[in-house]
Amino acid sequence: MTPLWIVVVLLLLATLLCLIPPLLRRAPPTAPGAEDSLRAFYLARREQLQRDLRAGSLSPEAKLRAEEEMQRELLQDLAARQTRVGPLGGQRAGVAAACLLSVLVPVAAVLLYGKLGNPRAAADMTLASTAPAHASPSGSDAQNAAGDGARDDMALAINALAQRLRGAPDDADGWYTLARSYETLGRYADAVAAYRQVLRLVPGQPVVLADLADALLSNNQGKPDADAIAAVAQALANDPDQPKALALAGMMALRRGDAAEALGHWERLQALLPADSEAARQIQSNISQARAMARGAPAGGADNDLSNNSATATPNPSGKTSPNSLAYAAPDAATASTTASTTASPSTTARPATNTTTNPATAPARISGHARIADSLADRVKPDDTVFILARPVSGSRMPLAISRWRVSDLPRAFVLDDSSAMSPQATLSGASRVRVEIRISRSGAAAAQPGDLQGVLPDVDVRAGDLDLVADTLVR
């Protein structure tokens, strides 16, 4: 923040230097004795006219005309050379105006910045610019520089959205996008506040209640509290087939040792998912753990965060129908299922799955592959470290078009990025042709890269690419 305020002070000083000196400036007085010199000059000219008259070179009429002309010139010169001294009251008014401007201009600038500016954006930019330089082999400097630029773009875009919502607090879509963006950055407390704003505008929305519970759990290191339990219960009361709520309810039940209840939630969720989907395979793994726990065997991994494995379609909580909201809510044709129809909000319509053959050029955007950690760096991470898999545009804005969050304990694993993973309905994979796919393993749980994190990049990928090998092979320094 210090460089910003130095620039602000310099600009204010420059403004005051342009405004105040003219108010304090006085007109230069006429030099002493100038009037006497002028009178002496004209007296000399008059004596010359007298000599010309006595010598007969000038007639009396000509002498009279010359004297009249000389008198007019004298009066004009005396008027022009009079001392121009303003009244004392005018000088005092100028000093008072200068003092007033020197106080009002800085105060007005600070108040205007507080009203229209965004001090938090300046703080975020300062933190980004003071982050330590990254140094790692195999071209990682370029990757780190690109990551810094992307983080700055994302922070600016999110702060701009937050600023806009201050002036339009009844925009449910905007609050929902802001909440998801905060989750991506690991700002879970801010995400909780944004989800509560959505529920203020659209009470009882099951998908938003499930997302709120997910953010509450993340903010509490995965431990359910009363608010998270209540949000999941209300979501299932309003929609018993809400996928994320079912996944979270099963996880909460397993944590408190109720394997039977966990099985009930997860088996119901499994019936809603396509049998060959990655989400269905993950839920099957959870069901196996719950059954093992019910038999008295250890249920390893029961504490994993399952909220990202529920394969939910994204809602449009505003209740307004628009082309963007319809595209945002519906999953692509390859993954559409009963889940989509049961989780979309009243203002959205999900597209049913079809078995028709799709031209690859017109197929929905869907990136899939296998994510893993390089063997040489496996000892630098912990099982509960957060894994972000995301896709950004190759050029232009660096805001992620799709993002997925996991745990290190889930790796290696298959992953899928599509429009249901979008952070914003205006920025989806379907709107791009080539993207940059990244994996980042964060110790702090924040999406912004920190020293000690791992990352890996596939720099130029088609939005319909499959069988990618995404490896976290670079250490951020």
Side-chain angles (χ1 to χ4, degrees):
M1 290 290 287
T2 301
L4 171 66
W5 289 114
I6 291 176
V7 172
V8 170
V9 171
L10 291 177
L11 290 175
L12 286 174
L13 290 176
T15 302
L16 293 175
L17 286 176
C18 293
L19 294 176
I20 292 178
L23 297 174
L24 302 177
R25 189 176 301 147
R26 299 180 181 181
T30 304
E35 185 174 333
D36 294 338
S37 299
L38 185 62
R39 291 179 184 275
F41 172 73
Y42 280 102
L43 287 174
R45 287 183 60 186
R46 186 177 181 182
E47 291 177 0
Q48 181 63 40
L49 290 175
Q50 291 288 352
R51 287 193 296 271
D52 291 343
L53 179 62
R54 286 194 298 269
S57 60
L58 186 66
S59 64
E61 294 80 4
K63 174 180 175 294
L64 183 60
R65 289 194 299 271
E67 286 181 342
E68 291 176 352
E69 180 66 26
M70 185 174 62
Q71 289 174 358
R72 284 194 298 269
E73 291 178 359
L74 175 61
L75 292 174
Q76 292 174 359
D77 287 344
L78 287 174
R81 289 172 178 250
Q82 282 182 349
T83 303
R84 294 187 294 258
V85 179
L88 184 60
Q91 294 180 8
R92 289 178 177 175
V95 172
C99 295
L100 191 62
L101 283 175
S102 65
V103 174
L104 288 182
V105 169
V107 171
V110 172
L111 292 177
L112 190 64
Y113 178 67
K115 180 68 175 177
L116 302 179
N118 193 344
R120 187 168 191 171
D124 289 344
M125 291 295 291
T126 302
L127 290 175
S129 64
T130 57
H134 301 159
S136 53
S138 305
S140 61
D141 288 344
Q143 295 178 6
N144 292 332
D148 289 342
R151 185 166 65 255
D152 293 346
D153 286 347
M154 184 188 300
L156 288 174
I158 292 173
N159 284 322
L161 176 59
Q163 182 70 26
R164 181 179 68 79
L165 289 172
R166 293 180 188 175
D170 293 336
D171 181 1
D173 281 330
W175 284 113
Y176 188 79
T177 300
L178 182 65
R180 296 197 67 182
S181 302
Y182 280 148
E183 281 196 282
T184 300
L185 294 180
R187 294 166 56 177
Y188 300 116
D190 291 333
V192 168
Y195 281 131
R196 293 193 189 281
Q197 289 290 336
V198 180
L199 292 170
R200 173 181 64 84
L201 299 168
V202 193
Q205 176 66 255
V207 182
V208 183
L209 287 166
D211 289 334
L212 171 62
D214 185 13
L216 287 166
L217 286 167
S218 298
N219 191 47
N220 201 30
Q221 289 77 47
K223 298 177 181 178
D225 58 11
D227 289 339
I229 294 171
V232 170
Q234 186 180 353
L236 291 177
N238 295 343
D239 181 2
D241 290 334
Q242 210 296 310
K244 179 178 282 191
L246 287 171
L248 293 175
M251 182 269 290
M252 292 177 180
L254 202 64
R255 283 186 65 104
R256 65 175 179 266
D258 192 341
E261 182 180 342
L263 279 171
H265 291 305
W266 285 339
E267 288 174 348
R268 182 166 189 149
L269 173 59
Q270 187 181 41
L272 300 173
L273 301 175
D276 58 346
S277 67
E278 176 61 28
R281 287 191 288 271
Q282 178 63 39
I283 291 300
Q284 180 57 51
S285 174
N286 297 336
I287 290 173
S288 299
Q289 294 172 7
R291 286 174 177 166
M293 184 175 177
R295 292 193 301 266
D303 290 345
N304 287 345
D305 180 7
L306 306 175
S307 62
N308 290 309
N309 304 334
S310 57
T312 64
T314 307
N316 171 24
S318 68
K320 298 178 290 187
T321 301
S322 67
N324 284 337
S325 66
L326 293 178
Y328 192 36
D332 60 72
T335 59
S337 66
T338 308
T339 304
S341 63
T342 57
T343 60
S345 68
S347 63
T348 60
T349 304
R351 296 190 298 269
T354 63
N355 294 323
T356 58
T357 302
T358 306
N359 187 333
T362 59
R366 183 177 187 271
I367 298 173
S368 62
H370 193 264
R372 60 186 176 90
I373 302 173
D375 294 340
S376 59
L377 298 176
D379 59 343
R380 293 183 175 269
V381 296
K382 298 178 180 179
D384 59 347
D385 287 349
T386 304
V387 179
F388 294 97
I389 299 175
L390 54 103
R392 307 182 193 272
V394 172
S395 59
S397 171
R398 306 302 296 166
M399 189 73 144
L401 302 176
I403 189 165
S404 179
R405 188 175 79 245
W406 306 92
R407 302 278 186 190
V408 166
S409 57
D410 297 323
L411 298 181
R413 68 166 299 117
F415 71 90
V416 174
L417 297 175
D418 54 26
D419 286 350
S420 69
S421 312
M423 292 175 56
S424 167
Q426 286 76 38
T428 62
L429 278 178
S430 297
S433 58
R434 312 287 297 183
V435 294
R436 170 189 174 98
V437 180
E438 303 177 14
I439 181 173
R440 179 170 295 151
I441 300 176
S442 171
R443 292 181 176 180
S444 63
Q450 302 291 333
D453 291 352
L454 302 185
Q455 66 180 11
V457 177
L458 297 175
D460 191 2
V461 176
D462 186 86
V463 295
R464 298 170 184 84
D467 298 326
L468 300 179
D469 186 23
L470 185 59
V471 185
D473 56 3
T474 303
L475 179 65
V476 178
R477 298 185 184 276

